[in-house]
Amino acid sequence: IADISAPDLETKIAIIEALGGARYKEAVPMIEKSAVNEDLLLRKVSLFALSEIGTPSSEAILMAAAQKANFGGSFQLIKNRR
């Protein structure tokens, strides 16, 4: 799968959710492109799909998204409380 040419955003999101749920590794390059899309919902669904599929090539994208969202900050707070 090089690209998903869905007629609308809702269809594209549904397809990406299904591919992530099926852990379809061949879709990773296309989903990685959607993971940096301007649309917030498409980006979130794509990141979740990539996390479900779990290929090493997606690690950098997932880490960057986690850092941007300050996801690691909550872990740092817990660590500092000990």
Side-chain angles (χ1 to χ4, degrees), residues 1-81:
I1 296 178
D3 186 25
I4 290 181
S5 298
D8 59 79
L9 187 61
E10 288 180 16
T11 303
K12 190 169 190 169
I13 287 171
I15 292 169
I16 291 171
E17 286 179 327
L19 292 169
R23 292 175 173 78
Y24 190 68
K25 292 182 181 182
E26 289 79 6
V28 167
M30 182 278 310
I31 297 172
E32 287 176 343
K33 290 177 187 175
S34 296
V36 294
N37 190 283
E38 291 181 13
D39 184 87
L40 180 61
L41 181 58
L42 178 59
R43 205 167 53 238
K44 286 182 175 183
V45 168
S46 298
L47 290 167
F48 185 74
L50 291 172
S51 72
E52 286 186 302
I53 298 169
T55 60
S57 67
S58 301
E59 184 178 350
I61 291 172
L62 293 169
M63 288 296 289
Q67 288 173 344
K68 185 176 180 181
N70 197 25
F71 186 74
S74 59
F75 294 116
Q76 189 64 34
L77 288 173
I78 293 169
K79 185 178 177 182
N80 290 338
R81 287 184 183 171

